[in-house]
Amino acid sequence: MWTLVNIKLNSPMWKKCAFCKYWYDPTNACIRPRFPRTGTWQYDQSARNMCTKKGIERPAFTSCRDFTSKMDQYR
């Protein structure tokens, strides 16, 4: 079950693990575009996946200083 949260990619608050290239979600199953023209996306904040940088499981709504966007390919 998705617990959806809308987030704008140009907002300072968008740097969540769900959008990080180190958060293991190879099919991007936990994110989806909501309004692509305005840069608004949704993510499942209840999802948990492995962080390949830290080697631990992390929830989608967290962030850290190692954040690197995987969204550059969609801009």
Side-chain angles (χ1 to χ4, degrees):
M1 168 117 183
W2 278 59
T3 306
L4 295 176
V5 176
N6 289 334
I7 198 152
K8 288 188 77 85
L9 295 184
N10 57 359
S11 160
M13 300 300 295
W14 81 276
K15 295 181 177 180
K16 304 293 184 189
C17 286
F19 298 101
C20 180
K21 76 175 189 176
Y22 300 118
W23 197 69
Y24 189 74
D25 183 19
T27 61
N28 293 326
C30 298
I31 62 173
R32 65 180 175 197
R34 173 78 171 146
F35 301 111
R37 285 187 168 174
T38 62
T40 303
W41 284 65
Q42 291 181 319
Y43 73 98
D44 179 6
Q45 75 172 9
S46 65
R48 297 181 68 87
N49 280 321
M50 183 65 66
C51 173
T52 59
K53 182 85 168 185
K54 296 189 180 286
I56 58 172
E57 187 177 81
R58 297 185 51 100
F61 62 86
T62 59
S63 189
C64 75
R65 62 187 172 121
D66 294 320
F67 177 85
T68 304
S69 174
K70 66 178 166 187
M71 301 307 291
D72 292 337
Q73 62 188 340
Y74 301 113
R75 289 183 188 204

